[in-house]
Amino acid sequence: SEGLGEAWGVQWTRGGALVQGELQCGVLYEYCTGSLAVSVICCRDLAHGDVRHRRTDAYVKAYLLPDTSRQGKRKTKVKKNTINPHFNETLKFTISHTQLELRSLWLSVWHYDRLHRNVFLGQLELPLDTLNLGDSPPSWYPLTPPLGPPVPPGAPPAPLGPSLAAPGELHVRVKGAKNLTATRNPPACLLPDEQRVTKQKTGVVRGTVSPVWNHTFIFDGLPPSDLLHVSLELTLWDREAFGGKRFLGGVRLGSGTGVSYGQIAPWNDAMGVEVDAWRKLQSCPGTWHEVLFMLRSSMEPGNL
């Protein structure tokens, strides 16, 4: 309805830093369940992701190459303000034993920055056919820079990791909404995503029809070429009594072409300001673009 609106800022960026230090991890394959368990123990002597404040808020991402999809990503929690973070987490993948010798475990370490871009701190690639997948102690591995030739001063950063064509991050800052009847925390996700594994939510703001969130969603591992094929969907909900919820409206940003990776995609139906905002972030990476959207009354394809 008229008067419903929400402001979002969007940014795509990529980054890197000095690479140093080591990562301790181990792997165990469980033949009875077809599960590969990756134990991420700790890192030591990492570089500072925030050089100015000499701070590192580290986390680890894992993929089984050549799968670099968002569904194939696993990551640890963030350990704040330490260059020697202890994670002690197990990341699990489902994979048949016949596929093990064809895959490589790719681990990368990142500094999480809530307000700006995340910073690449190092990586390692471990072909599974070279590892002892039994119950063996974790090992230490040196972190390495991105693969490829040295990058001349002033040149763009090299792609981060094998098979990842200049992966970046989509930052979505949900600032607030106006003239709502009631509000619940708005979720965000990237389509196509049938399992909603990319779904993220803000915190709940109560007792106001004009809530302010100032919350930033981060979708990482996103090559700029993928922006042609994905859509960003954000929706608002009202929490009703007895646990129910009522849809208040939403937006869907994207190219609006109706296709995704060569397949018909009715959800890729952005129009007007939604398409304009998406084009701006593609043409000017690393820059915030603030936009005020009128909310859709329905998220059915083509319904604005």
Side-chain angles (χ1 to χ4, degrees):
S1 62
E2 187 174 355
L4 293 181
E6 184 156 354
W8 285 285
V10 289
Q11 177 191 45
W12 176 84
T13 183
R14 63 182 177 182
L18 174 70
V19 173
Q20 64 181 49
E22 297 176 291
L23 170 65
Q24 186 184 34
C25 65
V27 291
L28 172 65
Y29 186 72
E30 301 173 354
Y31 284 87
C32 58
T33 61
S35 176
L36 181 71
V38 181
S39 298
V40 180
I41 308 302
C42 61
C43 295
R44 61 187 178 194
D45 300 326
L46 294 177
H48 287 108
D50 183 343
V51 178
R52 179 180 177 184
H53 298 98
R54 297 185 62 79
R55 181 184 178 96
T56 297
D57 296 339
Y59 70 97
V60 177
K61 291 195 301 184
Y63 292 91
L64 286 185
L65 301 178
D67 180 11
T68 58
S69 67
R70 289 182 293 277
Q71 293 82 356
K73 179 180 66 177
R74 307 289 187 271
K75 63 181 180 180
T76 69
K77 295 179 181 179
V78 176
K79 298 299 178 180
K80 296 185 177 181
N81 199 22
T82 175
I83 60 172
N84 300 298
H86 286 260
F87 302 100
N88 293 318
E89 292 188 41
T90 300
L91 310 177
K92 289 194 173 183
F93 298 86
T94 299
I95 180 174
S96 67
H97 71 277
T98 58
Q99 288 289 315
L100 290 176
E101 63 181 19
L102 305 177
R103 299 295 190 96
S104 291
L105 173 64
W106 183 55
L107 299 169
S108 57
V109 184
W110 296 78
H111 162 71
Y112 173 74
D113 191 321
R114 184 173 62 87
L115 299 178
H116 301 96
R117 67 185 183 185
N118 292 352
V119 178
F120 175 78
L121 298 177
Q123 67 176 12
L124 64 95
E125 182 181 356
L126 303 173
L128 294 181
D129 61 354
T130 66
L131 300 178
N132 179 1
L133 301 182
D135 191 9
S136 57
S139 300
W140 284 99
Y141 298 93
L143 295 172
T144 63
L147 298 183
V151 180
L160 302 184
S163 304
L164 290 181
E169 295 174 348
L170 177 66
H171 290 210
V172 185
R173 187 164 183 83
V174 181
K175 301 185 71 175
K178 297 180 180 179
N179 303 326
L180 302 175
T181 56
T183 58
R184 184 178 185 263
N185 45 323
C189 68
L190 283 178
L191 302 176
D193 184 3
E194 295 180 359
Q195 304 300 320
R196 287 297 195 263
V197 297
T198 62
K199 184 176 179 181
Q200 302 180 42
K201 295 182 180 180
T202 69
V204 177
V205 177
R206 304 179 187 276
T208 176
V209 297
S210 298
V212 175
W213 289 283
N214 285 323
H215 178 89
T216 302
F217 299 116
I218 296 178
F219 301 93
D220 55 9
L222 186 67
S225 58
D226 278 12
L227 295 178
L228 298 172
H229 306 285
V230 302
S231 289
L232 172 67
E233 181 177 284
L234 302 105
T235 53
L236 273 76
W237 299 82
D238 170 34
R239 176 177 292 165
E240 298 179 328
F242 308 107
K245 61 181 181 179
R246 180 167 62 92
F247 175 74
L248 295 178
V251 299
R252 190 181 289 130
L253 283 67
S255 60
T257 60
V259 297
S260 173
Y261 301 105
Q263 302 295 320
I264 296 176
W267 46 262
N268 193 355
D269 64 341
M271 297 180 65
V273 178
E274 296 174 333
V275 174
D276 291 342
W278 202 245
R279 289 174 177 170
K280 286 180 180 178
L281 74 92
Q282 293 179 76
S283 61
C284 299
T287 303
W288 285 101
H289 306 281
E290 186 169 329
V291 188
L292 181 69
F293 298 96
M294 296 297 295
L295 296 178
R296 299 181 179 207
S297 59
S298 168
M299 301 310 292
E300 290 296 319
N303 193 324
L304 295 178

